[in-house]
Structure formats: structure tokens, C-alpha cells
Amino acid sequence: MGTQETHSTEPESLPVPTTEAGRAALDAIIGSPSTTLVALDFDGTLAPIVENPEDARAHPDAVPALADLAPKVAAVAVITGRPAEVAVHHGGFAGVDGLAHLFVLGHYGAERWDARTGALTAPDPHPGVAAVRAELPQVLETAGNRPGVWIEEKGGRAVAVHTRRADDPQAAFDALRTPLTDLATRHGLIVEPGRMVLELRPPGMDKGVALLEHVRETGAQSVLYAGDDLGDLPAFAAVEKLRSDGTPGLLVCSGNPEVTELAARADLVVDGPAGVVDLLRKLASRLA
């Protein structure tokens, strides 16, 4: 008589955070998922970094994992420096069953897209962006006119200078940081450094501000935030502030060799976007 094959229905084990605060936050998320906000960066976290930002797309398993997870938590928010509409398109978030609880907070939270209604809200463009755009070619030429450096338009509300294609990306990044900061300051903007990119954008909003506002709006009593780059540090700081006030928060780093600051502060480091998606998938399975 043959033996009958059996299949386990046990959920896969979640990775264990390395910090006590992280472990407590994960326990809180598992214990009360309906009061949890899951917030994530896009580029480098849900989508692999690519040479041309227009070619970036969410990891192929990201949307299925989010669609499985979103109905089980209070809300899911993608907080990105990209225009919200661009992130929605590149992420493939529109019209997906299960993503009614998803929000995309673009331009570091200045823009907002609601998956339930498809509505986009955005402020008027800052006048400094147009002024910076007009002067930027001359500033780059004065700073050395380095081959491979290129300008990315970001929906009229920011402009970014990429150095990844330069012969020496880090040297170009370092050489341009001061002149671009001076240019931004003259026109009431700030410079947001990233992975071989310097973004000139309006002040007053960052991922930490956006995260805290969304926590208040959703009434979340626990938070998971995942990011990979320097622009995610304000969100990490916001989670640390929430923890000091008694709200459990789990800090996840999408690990990469270019930025180490987040890994040093994270409760859990995973292997890039594939690792983030695997974590979301396992978390959704655990909450089933």
C-alpha cells in the first residue's frame, strides 16, 4: 500500500529582527495587524535600482505580495520621491484586486494617490523648480561638464542630477553636491542626496513627515517601514520617535552596498527588493 504525500499548511517562518524593539514591533504587528501601517519606499525597496529610472519597475512579485497583505492591515503606503502617478505606473498598482487600502505618497508625501478612488491630489509647483531648471545646465558646465551626468525631470515639482553613468560616479556626485546645494538654496529649494543622484526639491516635506501624517490619519498603532537610501532616514527617525512615544515600529533595510547608514539603524536587513518582497509575502502568510 502506497504512502500518501502530505503537505504542511504552516506559514513560512518570518526573519527575526536583531533588536529588542524590532522583535517587539513584529509581535505587535502579528498580534494586531488591523491596526498596522505598512509603509515602503519604491526605488531600491520595491523596485531594483536601474541605470535609467524610467526603466524601473516593481519586483514581479511585489504587487501580488502587497495585494495579499493589504486587506489584512490598516493601510499600505508607498512613500517615494517620484511623482505619485509615475510610481503608480511603474509599480503596476492601479486596478489591482486587494489593493484598496494602498496609498502612494509621491514627492516625499506632497502628492497623494488613493487606490480605492484613483484620485490624485497635488500642490501647485514651487517656482524655484523652474528657476533651477533654467540655470542647471550652466551650473553643471561650470562644475566640470562631466560626461555621463544627466538631468531627470520629476513632474515639474523637482529636478534630479544623476551621476551613475559617469566614469567615476562617486567623484561626480561629490564634486556636484556643493554647487547644486548653492543653486537650490538661492531658489528656496533643498538638495536630497540619494544613490548616485542629487535631487533639488521644495523644503517642508520629507518621508518622515509623510509617514507621521499617515500614521495619524489611519490611527495606526504599529508601523513597519522599509527603505534603502538616504532619503529614507527621516522615515527611520519618525519610526524611532513613534517608538519613544510607545508605538511599536519595525525598521527594515533593503540592503545594498551603496548606502550603509540604514543598515546600521535597521532592526532587520533583507537582501534588496527581492528580500523585501519575500518579507511581505511571509508576513501576509503569517497573518492569514
Side-chain angles (χ1 to χ4, degrees):
M1 186 174 180
T3 59
Q4 184 176 0
E5 186 177 354
T6 61
H7 298 275
S8 172
T9 59
E10 290 294 316
E12 296 179 74
S13 298
L14 284 162
V16 179
T18 58
T19 66
E20 183 177 348
R23 292 189 291 273
L26 184 57
D27 287 343
I29 292 166
I30 293 169
S32 184
S34 64
T35 61
T36 294
L37 170 63
V38 175
L40 311 112
D41 170 47
F42 185 72
D43 291 284
T45 301
L46 286 177
I49 294 292
V50 293
E51 185 172 287
N52 182 358
E54 287 303 307
D55 295 334
R57 295 295 184 270
H59 185 283
D61 295 326
V63 168
L66 289 172
D68 193 15
L69 178 62
K72 301 167 185 175
V73 297
V76 174
V78 175
I79 308 178
T80 174
R82 287 183 181 266
E85 283 189 314
V86 172
V88 171
H89 176 260
H90 289 195
F93 301 134
V96 177
D97 289 341
L99 288 187
H101 291 174
L102 174 73
F103 296 86
V104 175
L105 307 179
H107 281 304
Y108 302 89
E111 295 184 345
R112 171 185 171 125
W113 179 83
D114 185 337
R116 182 178 58 83
T117 64
L120 174 69
T121 57
D124 293 332
H126 189 291
V129 175
V132 159
R133 185 184 301 109
E135 292 185 33
L136 193 51
Q138 180 61 49
V139 171
L140 294 180
E141 183 175 347
T142 301
N145 203 21
R146 296 167 181 265
V149 171
W150 64 282
I151 300 169
E152 178 193 5
E153 296 289 345
K154 305 193 75 170
R157 292 184 171 84
V159 61
V161 176
H162 292 262
T163 68
R164 188 174 295 276
R165 299 176 189 168
D167 292 339
D168 187 335
Q170 188 63 54
F173 180 95
D174 294 340
L176 291 173
R177 189 161 185 172
T178 294
L180 292 183
T181 298
D182 292 342
L183 173 63
T185 301
R186 287 202 307 274
H187 296 290
L189 304 181
I190 61 171
V191 169
E192 185 79 47
R195 292 169 66 177
M196 302 304 139
V197 59
L198 294 157
E199 181 173 334
L200 292 76
R201 66 176 183 86
M205 182 61 83
D206 59 35
K207 292 183 180 181
V209 174
L211 179 62
L212 290 174
E213 289 183 354
H214 213 57
V215 167
R216 287 192 289 269
E217 180 180 330
T218 60
Q221 297 175 26
S222 58
V223 180
L224 180 156
Y225 185 83
D228 76 303
D229 205 348
L230 297 175
D232 297 301
L233 287 172
F236 268 44
V239 172
E240 291 163 350
K241 173 65 167 59
L242 289 167
R243 294 201 296 210
S244 71
D245 294 337
T247 299
L250 177 62
L251 292 170
V252 178
C253 173
S254 175
N256 66 84
E258 292 180 337
V259 176
T260 59
E261 288 90 333
L262 269 74
R265 289 172 62 172
D267 306 305
L268 182 62
V269 180
V270 298
D271 187 14
V276 172
V277 170
D278 187 58
L279 172 64
L280 297 175
R281 182 180 59 79
K282 289 178 177 176
L283 182 58
S285 175
R286 181 64 178 270
L287 301 180

